[in-house]
Amino acid sequence: MTPAARVQASIEILDRILDGTPAEKALTGWARSSRFAGSKDRAAIRDHVFDALRQWNSAAALGGASTGRALMIGLLRLQNVGLADVFSGATYAPATLIEGEDTVEVSQLPHDVPAWVLEKLEASLGAKTEQTLRDLRQRAPITLRVNLSKLSRTEAQRQLMADGIETEMMDLANGALCVTAGARRIRQSALYLDGVIELQDAASQAMVEALPISEGMKILDYCAGGGGKTLAMAGHVDGRFFAYDIAPHRMVDLPARAERAGVQVTLTDAPVDSAPYDLVLCDAPCSGSGTWRRTPDAKWRFTPERLGELIETQAEILTTAKNLVATGGALAYATCSFLKEENMDQIQAFLSRHKDWTLEWSHQYGFEEGGDGFFGAVLRKS
């Protein structure tokens, strides 16, 4: 495909997203109906679409409208790409620019989040808001977690390099590597297939490393999802690990991943049956605002009503999970969110309801630390 044809395909996909189709589904649907597109074509189109979603308001302002075509016009202007060669009207290329599209003047670019979210971010992040908003326009780093019980980071780097994957060590977490080249080869690499490395954000890794875990503990990952944090904890200590999720299908790959990693994890649909636990980790459902670089369409679908629902769910999860913790044990709470309503406000509300618990540790991770936006806290039962 020519660069212009890739832009035209991106326009069509963005129009599907505007009609309500989730971004991943729109991309997959286009790829299935366009078998002629090679892997490089699909990757380039995906980049166009996600870059437009990350910078939706800015691209719409510079494109003059919120259509797939206008968004791509605005995006290319943001990227200082000449429009005439792309919007040429040639076969498979977008139609030539018309009056009103060829010149758009914008005095100041808008923020690329919904207005109501901007207010929440400002209240939550204060002086860090502007830089966080700038970072939200960029692609997130691709980060690996090395299972240090199997291999050192240095040796992992060497073996990954042999597979054409270049990495840099990260300070945020002891097992974190940032991929700088060859990312598309990760899932075919020997270390990935052998469970020595996993794709996991560095802030998530750092939060796990901050948990009060030690040898022989009985640990429950209460909102396990795919089980990434279960495996991360099991990579640090030998213990008894249990995983639960209200939607069990999310854990379907966990047994195979645990086997590759050389750890034992018990999947349970009734965590109370094995209670109490020395540590219960609740990586609660949340806005995902800290991961909007990776899922940029999510920020445009997010609503105040949904935030209210999530806050109620988070409080219910904490209330239920506390009853699974042994006396003297710990309850860990985590979100991939910047919003204080989901983070410290949630913790303070819990402590006000349950006077026999104390806050032992908390931290709000930001993009400036190298990972996603992430929050973690540890509560101790007296």
Side-chain angles (χ1 to χ4, degrees), residues 128-326:
K128 294 182 179 180
T129 304
E130 286 300 321
Q131 185 58 54
T132 299
L133 290 168
R134 286 193 289 271
D135 291 339
L136 275 171
R137 292 172 170 152
Q138 308 303 316
R139 300 174 191 178
I142 298 173
T143 312
L144 303 175
R145 177 181 60 80
V146 180
N147 186 341
L148 298 177
S149 67
K150 286 195 166 191
L151 203 64
S152 69
R153 272 202 298 183
T154 302
E155 181 59 21
Q157 280 188 295
R158 188 189 68 79
Q159 293 188 31
L160 287 168
M161 178 68 79
D163 285 336
I165 303 165
E166 299 177 22
T167 60
E168 293 178 351
M169 288 191 182
M170 302 181 70
D171 295 333
L172 188 53
N174 293 327
L177 292 173
C178 183
V179 179
T180 57
R184 301 190 191 281
R185 301 180 180 181
I186 292 170
R187 295 184 186 276
Q188 286 74 46
S189 68
L191 292 188
Y192 182 83
L193 296 173
D194 291 341
V196 179
I197 61 169
E198 288 270 350
L199 286 158
Q200 189 173 38
D201 169 64
S204 180
Q205 295 182 48
M207 190 280 299
V208 168
E209 291 181 1
L211 295 177
I213 56 178
S214 58
E215 300 293 323
M217 287 180 65
K218 185 178 177 183
I219 298 171
L220 170 66
D221 190 348
Y222 186 71
C223 306
K229 292 178 183 63
T230 308
L231 297 180
M233 290 187 289
H236 288 289
V237 298
D238 289 327
R240 297 173 61 194
F241 293 92
F242 296 79
Y244 166 78
D245 197 279
I246 195 170
H249 67 273
R250 295 172 184 159
M251 302 188 294
V252 66
D253 296 329
L254 180 53
R257 292 169 64 203
E259 184 177 359
R260 288 200 304 269
V263 300
Q264 288 190 335
V265 178
T266 300
L267 272 59
T268 177
D269 58 3
V272 68
D273 292 347
S274 299
Y277 304 90
D278 300 306
L279 171 69
V280 176
L281 169 62
C282 302
D283 185 6
C286 68
S287 64
S289 52
T291 63
W292 280 346
R293 293 181 299 180
R294 304 180 192 277
T295 57
D297 58 324
K299 65 183 173 182
W300 305 112
R301 298 196 306 267
F302 195 49
T303 65
E305 292 75 22
R306 179 56 181 155
L307 176 59
E309 293 170 359
L310 287 166
I311 291 171
E312 290 183 8
T313 298
Q314 293 156 1
E316 291 169 1
I317 287 172
L318 282 169
T319 299
T320 301
K322 75 176 180 60
N323 297 320
L324 304 174
V325 180

Side-chain angles (χ1 to χ4, degrees), residues 51 55 58-59 62 73-81 109 112:
D51 284 344
Q55 302 174 83
S58 297
L62 288 173
I73 291 172
L75 178 65
L76 294 181
R77 284 192 170 120
L78 283 167
Q79 297 173 345
N80 294 316
V81 175
L109 290 177
D112 287 305

Side-chain angles (χ1 to χ4, degrees), residues 12 87 279 323 349 362 371:
E12 295 168 9
F87 290 80
L279 171 69
N323 297 320
S362 68

